[in-house]
Amino acid sequence: MNLDYAKNSIEEVPFGQYLEQFQALDPKAAAVRTGIPYDAERKCFTMRMLQRTYEISWPECKVTCLDKTEGVFAIMEDAVDAKIFAIRYLLNGVQSDSTGKFLTYRELPSGDLYFQQFQGRCLMRLAYGFGFKLDKFAEIMDRLGAKKLSYGDVSYEVEFINGHFVRFILWAGDDEFPPSSQILFSDNFPLSFETYDLAVVGDISITTLKKMQ
């Protein structure tokens, strides 16, 4: 089955359309549904993405990082896809807890259908971006405040967006074997996002790591 991966991506819808939906949102109802705090007096949501806390004003959608530190890229302030992902959670997401289980992309609903594109877009990009410099990857993850794990040659867990966690695992490359990687998603992601949207999780995360080199 030949699927047009790009046409299913959240990036195919212009930011302006998402902004219109965000502005039409009932912010108090969205806060109850998603568990994202909303300050009605100041008219802003408080949301976490990649270990950083952001305020998102409503209805303007002005994004401000509240805990910006030197050497850490606050991606939601600068990247349109990160803003869209946050808006989509406020529009469609539901508050949920992971059972503690993490899923490969193939294990997600219809993951097999989109795996080839996810592999090239995320897994290979991660592997060849950092598979020959594991120490740099670890230094960046430590700076970000990620949780160190014991899988592969180096691995870390980050909170991508409130209560939704991602694990990044790397195996080093050498003269004989290419580097490889794995990205795992906490099992509550499918309750709020489509499987093909999760490539954006990889994109946003890897872009952040590269910006921090």
Side-chain angles (χ1 to χ4, degrees):
M1 185 176 183
N2 218 2
L3 296 176
D4 192 334
Y5 187 74
K7 287 184 178 178
N8 284 317
S9 170
I10 65 174
E11 298 157 301
E12 289 299 295
V13 178
F15 175 73
Q17 292 185 31
Y18 283 112
L19 180 59
E20 289 178 4
Q21 294 179 60
F22 176 76
Q23 292 172 337
L25 188 71
D26 179 337
K28 293 180 181 179
V32 171
R33 172 171 42 81
T34 62
I36 301 296
Y38 177 72
D39 186 325
E41 184 175 336
R42 297 180 59 242
K43 294 187 176 181
C44 63
F45 293 96
T46 303
M47 180 181 288
R48 298 186 301 276
M49 180 177 281
L50 285 174
Q51 310 292 126
R52 287 298 172 267
T53 304
Y54 297 87
E55 276 190 351
I56 306 173
S57 68
W58 181 88
E60 299 85 2
C61 199
K62 179 183 178 182
V63 176
T64 305
C65 182
L66 300 180
D67 50 2
K68 187 184 294 186
T69 56
E70 185 177 354
V72 175
F73 183 56
I75 193 165
M76 202 194 294
E77 285 189 339
D78 298 296
V80 172
D81 55 353
K83 291 184 178 74
I84 289 175
F85 205 93
I87 289 173
R88 275 180 61 87
Y89 186 61
L90 291 170
L91 292 174
N92 305 313
V94 293
Q95 185 175 17
S96 60
D97 294 322
S98 169
T99 67
K101 182 179 180 182
F102 282 77
L103 306 172
T104 66
Y105 195 84
R106 287 184 183 274
E107 292 175 307
L108 295 165
S110 302
D112 276 335
L113 299 178
Y114 299 105
F115 178 74
Q116 184 176 352
Q117 293 89 343
F118 175 78
Q119 183 178 40
R121 185 175 177 182
C122 297
L123 295 182
M124 291 184 68
R125 186 180 173 211
L126 178 63
Y128 284 92
F130 293 99
F132 293 104
K133 42 186 177 181
L134 299 190
D135 289 345
K136 187 64 176 179
F137 176 78
E139 184 271 325
I140 291 170
M141 282 294 198
D142 288 337
R143 202 189 324 152
L144 192 63
K147 176 183 176 182
K148 187 173 177 60
L149 304 174
S150 58
Y151 307 114
D153 290 324
V154 62
S155 54
Y156 283 83
E157 178 180 305
V158 300
E159 184 183 40
F160 182 79
I161 201 166
N162 294 52
H164 297 73
F165 296 85
V166 184
R167 289 178 173 177
F168 297 93
I169 307 170
L170 276 170
W171 290 266
D174 56 29
D175 292 337
E176 295 185 33
F177 299 100
S180 60
S181 71
Q182 182 60 275
I183 300 175
L184 305 176
F185 302 89
S186 59
D187 61 0
N188 54 340
F189 265 101
L191 298 176
S192 295
F193 300 102
E194 300 293 339
T195 295
Y196 47 72
D197 290 343
L198 297 193
V200 181
V201 172
D203 271 346
I204 293 170
S205 301
I206 297 166
T207 295
T208 297
L209 300 181
K210 286 181 171 291
K211 290 280 189 180
M212 290 172 60
Q213 291 188 92

